[in-house]
PDB file of all heavy atoms in Angstrom:
ATOM      1  N   THR Q   7      20.309 -21.817  -3.736  1.00 63.00           N
ATOM      2  CA  THR Q   7      19.705 -21.990  -5.118  1.00 63.00           C
ATOM      3  C   THR Q   7      19.884 -20.700  -5.873  1.00 63.00           C
ATOM      4  O   THR Q   7      19.589 -19.635  -5.454  1.00 63.00           O
ATOM      5  CB  THR Q   7      18.129 -22.114  -4.757  1.00 63.00           C
ATOM      6  OG1 THR Q   7      17.954 -23.287  -3.914  1.00 63.00           O
ATOM      7  CG2 THR Q   7      17.405 -22.295  -6.148  1.00 63.00           C
ATOM      8  N   PHE Q   9      19.284 -17.832  -8.806  1.00 66.00           N
ATOM      9  CA  PHE Q   9      18.018 -17.288  -9.357  1.00 66.00           C
ATOM     10  C   PHE Q   9      18.498 -16.269 -10.435  1.00 66.00           C
ATOM     11  O   PHE Q   9      19.571 -15.776 -10.422  1.00 66.00           O
ATOM     12  CB  PHE Q   9      17.251 -16.589  -8.311  1.00 66.00           C
ATOM     13  CG  PHE Q   9      17.841 -15.391  -7.656  1.00 66.00           C
ATOM     14  CD1 PHE Q   9      17.679 -14.125  -8.142  1.00 66.00           C
ATOM     15  CD2 PHE Q   9      18.708 -15.604  -6.508  1.00 66.00           C
ATOM     16  CE1 PHE Q   9      18.307 -13.055  -7.586  1.00 66.00           C
ATOM     17  CE2 PHE Q   9      19.259 -14.416  -6.054  1.00 66.00           C
ATOM     18  CZ  PHE Q   9      19.121 -13.201  -6.438  1.00 66.00           C
ATOM     19  N   ALA Q  19      -1.763  -0.073 -23.892  1.00 90.00           N
ATOM     20  CA  ALA Q  19      -2.408   0.774 -24.791  1.00 90.00           C
ATOM     21  C   ALA Q  19      -3.398   1.751 -23.958  1.00 90.00           C
ATOM     22  O   ALA Q  19      -3.852   1.422 -22.994  1.00 90.00           O
ATOM     23  CB  ALA Q  19      -3.374   0.059 -25.789  1.00 90.00           C
ATOM     24  N   ARG Q  26      -6.818  -6.004 -13.112  1.00 83.00           N
ATOM     25  CA  ARG Q  26      -5.623  -6.774 -12.795  1.00 83.00           C
ATOM     26  C   ARG Q  26      -5.358  -7.872 -13.814  1.00 83.00           C
ATOM     27  O   ARG Q  26      -6.321  -8.662 -14.180  1.00 83.00           O
ATOM     28  CB  ARG Q  26      -5.791  -7.377 -11.463  1.00 83.00           C
ATOM     29  CG  ARG Q  26      -5.994  -6.338 -10.366  1.00 83.00           C
ATOM     30  CD  ARG Q  26      -6.032  -6.831  -9.021  1.00 83.00           C
ATOM     31  NE  ARG Q  26      -4.635  -6.879  -8.475  1.00 83.00           N
ATOM     32  CZ  ARG Q  26      -4.400  -7.246  -7.294  1.00 83.00           C
ATOM     33  NH1 ARG Q  26      -5.232  -7.685  -6.423  1.00 83.00           N
ATOM     34  NH2 ARG Q  26      -3.023  -7.152  -6.862  1.00 83.00           N
ATOM     35  N   GLY Q  36      11.729 -23.146 -17.343  1.00 87.00           N
ATOM     36  CA  GLY Q  36      10.460 -23.312 -16.897  1.00 87.00           C
ATOM     37  C   GLY Q  36       9.630 -22.047 -16.966  1.00 87.00           C
ATOM     38  O   GLY Q  36       9.999 -21.048 -17.556  1.00 87.00           O
ATOM     39  N   ASN Q  39       6.121 -18.153 -11.471  1.00 78.00           N
ATOM     40  CA  ASN Q  39       4.876 -17.981 -10.716  1.00 78.00           C
ATOM     41  C   ASN Q  39       3.975 -16.897 -11.385  1.00 78.00           C
ATOM     42  O   ASN Q  39       4.643 -16.050 -12.120  1.00 78.00           O
ATOM     43  CB  ASN Q  39       5.138 -17.578  -9.328  1.00 78.00           C
ATOM     44  CG  ASN Q  39       5.851 -18.687  -8.566  1.00 78.00           C
ATOM     45  OD1 ASN Q  39       5.843 -19.823  -8.952  1.00 78.00           O
ATOM     46  ND2 ASN Q  39       6.564 -18.340  -7.475  1.00 78.00           N
ATOM     47  N   VAL Q  45      -3.600  -2.221 -14.143  1.00 89.00           N
ATOM     48  CA  VAL Q  45      -3.779  -1.130 -15.065  1.00 89.00           C
ATOM     49  C   VAL Q  45      -4.787  -0.303 -14.442  1.00 89.00           C
ATOM     50  O   VAL Q  45      -5.880  -0.604 -14.008  1.00 89.00           O
ATOM     51  CB  VAL Q  45      -4.332  -1.692 -16.465  1.00 89.00           C
ATOM     52  CG1 VAL Q  45      -4.562  -0.620 -17.407  1.00 89.00           C
ATOM     53  CG2 VAL Q  45      -3.305  -2.598 -17.098  1.00 89.00           C
ATOM     54  N   ALA Q  52       5.303   7.898  -8.386  1.00 88.00           N
ATOM     55  CA  ALA Q  52       6.304   7.166  -7.598  1.00 88.00           C
ATOM     56  C   ALA Q  52       6.491   7.820  -6.238  1.00 88.00           C
ATOM     57  O   ALA Q  52       6.491   8.984  -6.081  1.00 88.00           O
ATOM     58  CB  ALA Q  52       7.652   7.142  -8.415  1.00 88.00           C
ATOM     59  N   ASP Q  55      11.835   9.942  -2.861  1.00 89.00           N
ATOM     60  CA  ASP Q  55      12.924   9.327  -2.070  1.00 89.00           C
ATOM     61  C   ASP Q  55      12.828   9.810  -0.575  1.00 89.00           C
ATOM     62  O   ASP Q  55      12.296  10.888  -0.330  1.00 89.00           O
ATOM     63  CB  ASP Q  55      14.264   9.741  -2.696  1.00 89.00           C
ATOM     64  CG  ASP Q  55      14.562   9.065  -3.940  1.00 89.00           C
ATOM     65  OD1 ASP Q  55      13.984   7.986  -4.273  1.00 89.00           O
ATOM     66  OD2 ASP Q  55      15.297   9.654  -4.839  1.00 89.00           O
ATOM     67  N   THR Q  63       7.051  13.895   7.800  1.00 92.00           N
ATOM     68  CA  THR Q  63       7.657  13.613   6.522  1.00 92.00           C
ATOM     69  C   THR Q  63       6.672  12.934   5.560  1.00 92.00           C
ATOM     70  O   THR Q  63       6.993  12.280   4.631  1.00 92.00           O
ATOM     71  CB  THR Q  63       8.840  12.640   6.716  1.00 92.00           C
ATOM     72  OG1 THR Q  63       8.455  11.554   7.357  1.00 92.00           O
ATOM     73  CG2 THR Q  63       9.886  13.433   7.592  1.00 92.00           C
ATOM     74  N   GLU Q  90      -6.056  16.179   2.091  1.00 95.00           N
ATOM     75  CA  GLU Q  90      -7.140  17.045   2.473  1.00 95.00           C
ATOM     76  C   GLU Q  90      -8.503  16.467   2.128  1.00 95.00           C
ATOM     77  O   GLU Q  90      -8.707  15.856   1.100  1.00 95.00           O
ATOM     78  CB  GLU Q  90      -7.017  18.409   1.714  1.00 95.00           C
ATOM     79  CG  GLU Q  90      -5.882  19.199   2.114  1.00 95.00           C
ATOM     80  CD  GLU Q  90      -5.807  19.747   3.484  1.00 95.00           C
ATOM     81  OE1 GLU Q  90      -6.998  20.071   4.100  1.00 95.00           O
ATOM     82  OE2 GLU Q  90      -4.740  19.829   4.119  1.00 95.00           O
ATOM     83  N   ASP Q  95     -16.950  13.861   2.349  1.00 96.00           N
ATOM     84  CA  ASP Q  95     -16.281  13.121   1.385  1.00 96.00           C
ATOM     85  C   ASP Q  95     -16.113  11.652   1.756  1.00 96.00           C
ATOM     86  O   ASP Q  95     -15.807  11.328   2.951  1.00 96.00           O
ATOM     87  CB  ASP Q  95     -14.869  13.695   1.189  1.00 96.00           C
ATOM     88  CG  ASP Q  95     -14.805  14.948   0.356  1.00 96.00           C
ATOM     89  OD1 ASP Q  95     -15.767  15.366  -0.166  1.00 96.00           O
ATOM     90  OD2 ASP Q  95     -13.664  15.454   0.217  1.00 96.00           O
ATOM     91  N   THR Q  96     -16.224  10.746   0.808  1.00 96.00           N
ATOM     92  CA  THR Q  96     -16.067   9.389   0.992  1.00 96.00           C
ATOM     93  C   THR Q  96     -14.814   8.963   0.071  1.00 96.00           C
ATOM     94  O   THR Q  96     -14.894   9.230  -0.993  1.00 96.00           O
ATOM     95  CB  THR Q  96     -17.178   8.394   0.702  1.00 96.00           C
ATOM     96  OG1 THR Q  96     -18.294   8.782   1.565  1.00 96.00           O
ATOM     97  CG2 THR Q  96     -16.880   6.921   0.924  1.00 96.00           C
ATOM     98  N   GLY Q 113       1.319 -13.272   6.075  1.00 43.00           N
ATOM     99  CA  GLY Q 113       2.312 -12.634   5.046  1.00 43.00           C
ATOM    100  C   GLY Q 113       2.468 -13.387   3.894  1.00 43.00           C
ATOM    101  O   GLY Q 113       2.035 -14.564   3.734  1.00 43.00           O
ATOM    102  N   ALA Q 115       4.936 -14.319   0.287  1.00 49.00           N
ATOM    103  CA  ALA Q 115       6.369 -14.711   0.131  1.00 49.00           C
ATOM    104  C   ALA Q 115       7.375 -13.713   0.461  1.00 49.00           C
ATOM    105  O   ALA Q 115       8.490 -14.094   0.872  1.00 49.00           O
ATOM    106  CB  ALA Q 115       6.569 -15.338  -1.318  1.00 49.00           C
ATOM    107  N   SER Q 130      -3.917  17.047  22.466  1.00 77.00           N
ATOM    108  CA  SER Q 130      -4.194  16.661  23.833  1.00 77.00           C
ATOM    109  C   SER Q 130      -3.492  17.631  24.792  1.00 77.00           C
ATOM    110  O   SER Q 130      -2.725  18.485  24.348  1.00 77.00           O
ATOM    111  CB  SER Q 130      -3.832  15.264  24.006  1.00 77.00           C
ATOM    112  OG  SER Q 130      -2.437  15.099  24.153  1.00 77.00           O
ATOM    113  N   ARG Q 139      -5.987   7.828  15.687  1.00 92.00           N
ATOM    114  CA  ARG Q 139      -6.522   6.965  14.604  1.00 92.00           C
ATOM    115  C   ARG Q 139      -7.980   6.920  14.617  1.00 92.00           C
ATOM    116  O   ARG Q 139      -8.605   6.743  15.657  1.00 92.00           O
ATOM    117  CB  ARG Q 139      -5.933   5.489  14.906  1.00 92.00           C
ATOM    118  CG  ARG Q 139      -6.275   4.564  13.714  1.00 92.00           C
ATOM    119  CD  ARG Q 139      -5.714   3.230  13.913  1.00 92.00           C
ATOM    120  NE  ARG Q 139      -6.505   2.547  14.967  1.00 92.00           N
ATOM    121  CZ  ARG Q 139      -6.266   1.321  15.330  1.00 92.00           C
ATOM    122  NH1 ARG Q 139      -5.252   0.593  14.935  1.00 92.00           N
ATOM    123  NH2 ARG Q 139      -7.038   0.734  16.283  1.00 92.00           N
ATOM    124  N   ASP Q 144      -7.425  -4.177   7.622  1.00 70.00           N
ATOM    125  CA  ASP Q 144      -6.516  -5.175   7.099  1.00 70.00           C
ATOM    126  C   ASP Q 144      -7.540  -6.378   6.606  1.00 70.00           C
ATOM    127  O   ASP Q 144      -8.670  -6.279   7.053  1.00 70.00           O
ATOM    128  CB  ASP Q 144      -5.701  -5.750   8.286  1.00 70.00           C
ATOM    129  CG  ASP Q 144      -4.527  -6.664   7.800  1.00 70.00           C
ATOM    130  OD1 ASP Q 144      -4.344  -6.753   6.607  1.00 70.00           O
ATOM    131  OD2 ASP Q 144      -3.916  -7.201   8.690  1.00 70.00           O
ATOM    132  N   LEU Q 169      -4.153  12.010   7.741  1.00 96.00           N
ATOM    133  CA  LEU Q 169      -2.978  11.144   7.361  1.00 96.00           C
ATOM    134  C   LEU Q 169      -3.494   9.664   7.071  1.00 96.00           C
ATOM    135  O   LEU Q 169      -4.294   9.161   7.771  1.00 96.00           O
ATOM    136  CB  LEU Q 169      -2.008  11.003   8.535  1.00 96.00           C
ATOM    137  CG  LEU Q 169      -1.232  12.273   8.870  1.00 96.00           C
ATOM    138  CD1 LEU Q 169      -0.296  12.101  10.078  1.00 96.00           C
ATOM    139  CD2 LEU Q 169      -0.401  12.781   7.722  1.00 96.00           C
TER     140      LEU Q 169
END
Side-chain angles (χ1 to χ4, degrees):
T7 306
F9 65 92
R26 300 183 92 177
N39 294 338
V45 176
D55 290 336
T63 60
E90 295 290 326
D95 282 354
T96 299
S130 74
R139 186 175 74 178
D144 190 10
L169 294 176

